[in-house]
Amino acid sequence: MKTYRIEFTQEIPVDLDTAWDFFSSPLNLAEITPKDMTFDVTTPDMANTKMYPGLIITYKVSPLLGIKLNWMTEITHVKDKEYFIDEQRFGPFSFWHHQHHFQKTEKGVLMKDLLHYGIGWGPIGLAANSLIVENKIKGIFDFRYKKVEEIFGKV
């Protein structure tokens, strides 16, 4: 299976506590995901939950053509106010490992996402990534970039 690597960075003009508080809340993920994906956290009682190792989060998501899929991720690592990692346990990818890093800067916080993913399905997966998946992922992070600027402002 071929794996892919994509990095995204964004600096926001807030303190580290504010950034961590927002991004370590699973329910805020829906706010920074495109509405056409109908991203719904289905894990009950998540209102005051913050990331911790072992946290299982379930979702309903429509990444393509309005088809609803179940997705389950596990938060595997957390270092308070530095990073957390989510890994897919069940869902649309053969492999999903997503690192979220936060670093204090003079202007606020630098956020860095490092995503490794795999689709599987041999040549069909290679074609699907080239034609659809990579662009869809980049589009999701482009949307997130703009939405985060709306919420927190620009540096």
Side-chain angles (χ1 to χ4, degrees):
M1 171 184 63
K2 173 142 177 67
T3 57
Y4 304 93
R5 179 183 193 275
I6 302 177
E7 281 188 43
F8 302 93
T9 59
Q10 183 172 12
E11 192 167 9
I12 57 174
V14 297
D15 61 74
L16 188 55
D17 288 338
T18 301
W20 183 260
D21 187 56
F22 183 84
F23 290 99
S24 68
S25 172
L27 293 181
N28 287 334
L29 186 54
E31 188 175 346
I32 58 174
T33 301
K35 299 299 177 224
D36 65 342
M37 289 190 63
T38 60
F39 189 94
D40 297 316
V41 176
T42 57
T43 305
D45 302 321
M46 294 296 283
N48 295 309
T49 301
K50 296 295 181 187
M51 300 296 176
Y52 62 85
L55 176 63
I56 298 291
I57 308 169
T58 57
Y59 318 89
K60 288 271 190 197
V61 63
S62 300
L64 192 61
L65 302 173
I67 300 167
K68 284 210 175 238
L69 302 174
N70 292 312
W71 195 349
M72 176 187 284
T73 58
E74 178 182 357
I75 304 303
T76 57
H77 298 81
V78 177
K79 188 164 184 186
D80 192 49
K81 297 184 182 103
E82 287 188 35
Y83 68 87
F84 62 90
I85 298 171
D86 66 87
E87 296 181 0
Q88 176 187 284
R89 293 296 173 244
F90 301 101
F93 293 90
S94 293
F95 177 75
W96 179 273
H97 183 270
H98 184 185
Q99 301 176 37
H100 310 254
H101 294 268
F102 302 84
Q103 180 181 351
K104 183 179 176 182
T105 67
E106 288 183 17
K107 297 177 182 177
V109 173
L110 178 66
M111 299 185 308
K112 178 179 177 183
D113 288 88
L114 179 56
L115 173 61
H116 291 87
Y117 68 95
I119 301 170
W121 298 12
I124 294 170
L126 293 171
N129 188 67
S130 294
L131 297 171
I132 301 168
V133 177
E134 183 177 21
N135 289 332
K136 185 72 172 180
I137 290 171
K138 288 180 178 178
I140 291 166
F141 277 90
D142 288 345
F143 176 90
R144 186 185 83 166
Y145 190 98
K146 292 173 187 156
K147 192 68 176 175
V148 167
E149 281 187 340
E150 285 177 22
I151 295 168
F152 296 110
K154 298 179 183 183
V155 173

